Amino acid sequence: MTPEQEHDVPEGFKVFGVQDGLFGLVGPVFGRIVDGEAHLGFRVAEKHLNPTRTCHGGMLATLVDVQIGFGSAVALKQQKFFPTINLNCDFLAPVLTGQWVEGRTEVVRATPRMVFCNAMLLVEDQPVLRANGIMKIPSDRDSRFQMTRPQT
């Protein structure tokens, strides 16, 4: 059984990025690009829950952080990792075990060195987290941030 089948992901989503480090612990996270827009998502499992048995805000903040970076890089047609300068999150509704959480990014403004974004995490097209963030656009000379786009 593939991870997509095991986690019952929506059509077009594939395992996103590397599966070690943080994603090895909290993943799998899935991604897709549709019409030039990047979307990340995951299905809430037991390991994502807080003591109230809803998805831990730290997991949602992790997803939206990566969503903003990946979403803005795709929107700006960059193949770089955009590190976070600032991230603000508003938690709007609880997320339950088994629910599919999906992210969207809106680039508000980009300069040569920074990108300002809004993002939303949705469950069944209803917002559960609203965020805004500032991401650094690294120099082309800094090889630490260069990457090929993850397979989605």
Side-chain angles (χ1 to χ4, degrees), residues 58 60-69 84-91 117-119 129-135:
L60 297 173
T62 296
L63 183 69
V64 82
D65 179 45
V66 179
Q67 173 66 49
I68 287 177
T84 306
I85 294 172
N86 182 275
L87 180 67
N88 294 300
C89 298
D90 298 317
F91 299 92
C117 300
N118 293 323
L129 183 145
R130 174 182 61 204
N132 59 64
I134 304 168
M135 309 304 281

Side-chain angles (χ1 to χ4, degrees), residues 64-88 105-119 131-139:
V64 82
D65 179 45
V66 179
Q67 173 66 49
I68 287 177
F70 178 52
S72 59
V74 168
L76 297 176
K77 298 177 174 48
Q78 300 272 333
Q79 297 210 2
K80 299 177 186 179
F81 171 75
F82 286 12
T84 306
I85 294 172
N86 182 275
L87 180 67
N88 294 300
T105 303
E106 171 195 22
V107 172
V108 176
R109 181 171 186 260
T111 71
R113 294 196 167 169
M114 292 189 285
V115 59
F116 301 82
C117 300
N118 293 323
N132 59 64
I134 304 168
M135 309 304 281
K136 176 183 167 102
I137 301 175
S139 163

Side-chain angles (χ1 to χ4, degrees), residues 42-45 94-101 123-124 128:
F42 76 105
R43 182 135 338 254
V44 177
V95 181
L96 307 176
T97 305
Q99 290 185 311
W100 175 256
V101 180
V123 170
E124 297 177 5
V128 296

